[in-house]
Structure formats: C-alpha cells, structure tokens
Amino acid sequence: MTDPLATLSGTLDAVWAQLLRGASDREAPARHPVLATAGRSGGEARMVVLRSADREGARVEIFADRRSAKVGELVTEPRASLLVWDPAQRLQIRLRARFEVLAGEAVTPLWQALPGAARALYGGRPAPGTPIAAPGDHIADPAALAFCVLRGMLSEIETLHLETLGHRRALFRAAEGWQGQWCAP
C-alpha cells in the first residue's frame, strides 16, 4: 500500500481529509484542535471545536462566545495558529491563519441551526473567565448576541509525520499556491 504522506500532494490531501472529517465527525482527531493566540501575558492556547473546513476557500471556522478572551485576543492580533495531532498516523498539523470575528446578522443562520444544548454554551452569566465561587454559580443563558464565528483564512499549513525510519516535514504556503516543499524535520 502506498503511503500518501510520502508525497507533497498526498500530504496536503491528507491534511484536508483530516480537517473535513474533523468538522463533521466528533471522534476525528481534528475535531478538537488547539488554538494558539497572542495574549497579554504571552502565548495562550486552548482546545476549540472545528466547525467548518473549506479547502477551496482555504479557511476554517470555530464558534465562540464573543465575550471570551480568545475573541479579544484575535481582535487585537488576528494572526493565530491551530494545532492538530493524529496519534494513529503520528501526524502533527499546524495551520497558520488570520482570523476575523463574524457576529450579528452574519451568523444568525448558524445560531438558529444550533440545537438548544449547544446554544447554552454561548451567553451564560457571568461572562467566560469571570471568577465564581462554585461551578454551580454559572448560569446557562443562551444569547444570540454572545455567539460569534472565528473564521480563519489559512496562510500556511505545516506537517510533521513521525516515522521510525525518518520523520517527514512539509510546508505549504497560500502565497505559493499551496505547492509545498519538504523541510528538515
């Protein structure tokens, strides 16, 4: 069987297969990437849920509460990274992107499509990150005004495939038409 990660085109195809699966399959490794942003105290990283991936548009989307720290960080510095780890393939995927925050009428159809349990994640009281005395002191209070979409326009995709007989690293850039190049691991 041919290893798709042995070629640049196969590697890029594998990345997009991972992302597309992550956007729809709760069990996929790419479903919960790590989002890394620039915060006041340095780098900030947290797990998020990948909601959409579009290869043709070279973009990904994440849902968030507008009041969360990550949203403020992306407004201040829109360049951020997403990290995916697939343990079965031993494949690390880093996505570098410029994020924009979409809110209000632009995201109303997405808000309306969310089931009630998912809506409860956006708009609780008090706002995300606010200190509380006990977990029960947070009240779910779904609010469409708190819901937003973080749309990341990809500029680079970097992979590291860990192999027993030699790791493989590849870099793909939007500015170069995603043709890719091998890099020293």
Side-chain angles (χ1 to χ4, degrees):
M1 186 164 111
T2 305
D3 177 5
L5 298 174
T7 67
L8 288 169
S9 63
T11 299
L12 189 59
D13 288 345
V15 165
W16 280 106
Q18 284 275 357
L19 296 175
L20 292 167
R21 183 170 166 234
S24 62
D25 180 353
R26 292 174 184 240
E27 302 301 318
R31 180 63 169 187
H32 296 102
V34 174
L35 173 66
T37 58
R40 286 181 287 150
S41 301
E44 298 289 344
R46 79 281 283 156
M47 305 288 289
V48 293
V49 177
L50 181 64
R51 300 294 185 163
S52 174
D54 174 14
R55 184 172 184 165
E56 294 301 314
R59 69 176 174 253
V60 293
E61 291 181 346
I62 299 159
F63 295 172
D65 187 310
R66 288 172 71 176
R67 303 165 302 156
S68 66
K70 67 182 157 283
V71 173
E73 291 160 4
L74 289 170
V75 167
T76 301
E77 172 52 76
R79 293 174 298 171
S81 295
L82 286 169
L83 178 68
V84 173
W85 170 247
D86 179 352
Q89 289 191 59
R90 298 174 46 98
L91 178 65
Q92 172 184 279
I93 302 168
R94 283 196 297 175
L95 308 171
R96 292 181 188 90
R98 181 179 264 325
F99 282 85
E100 63 179 321
V101 179
L102 306 174
E105 290 182 25
V107 299
T108 297
L110 294 170
W111 172 259
Q112 291 173 340
L114 283 176
R119 284 186 188 186
L121 302 173
Y122 311 99
R125 293 175 294 161
T130 302
I132 54 178
D137 292 346
H138 182 262
I139 300 164
D141 187 15
L145 291 175
F147 177 72
C148 70
V149 174
L150 306 178
R151 178 175 289 162
M153 301 305 294
L154 302 183
S155 58
E156 291 183 356
I157 297 171
E158 186 171 357
T159 64
L160 178 61
H161 183 217
L162 302 179
E163 281 286 328
T164 306
L165 300 175
H167 304 328
R168 290 184 290 228
R169 184 175 183 176
L171 178 62
F172 305 88
R173 291 187 173 108
E176 297 168 358
W178 301 110
Q179 67 184 20
Q181 68 183 48
W182 294 114
C183 301

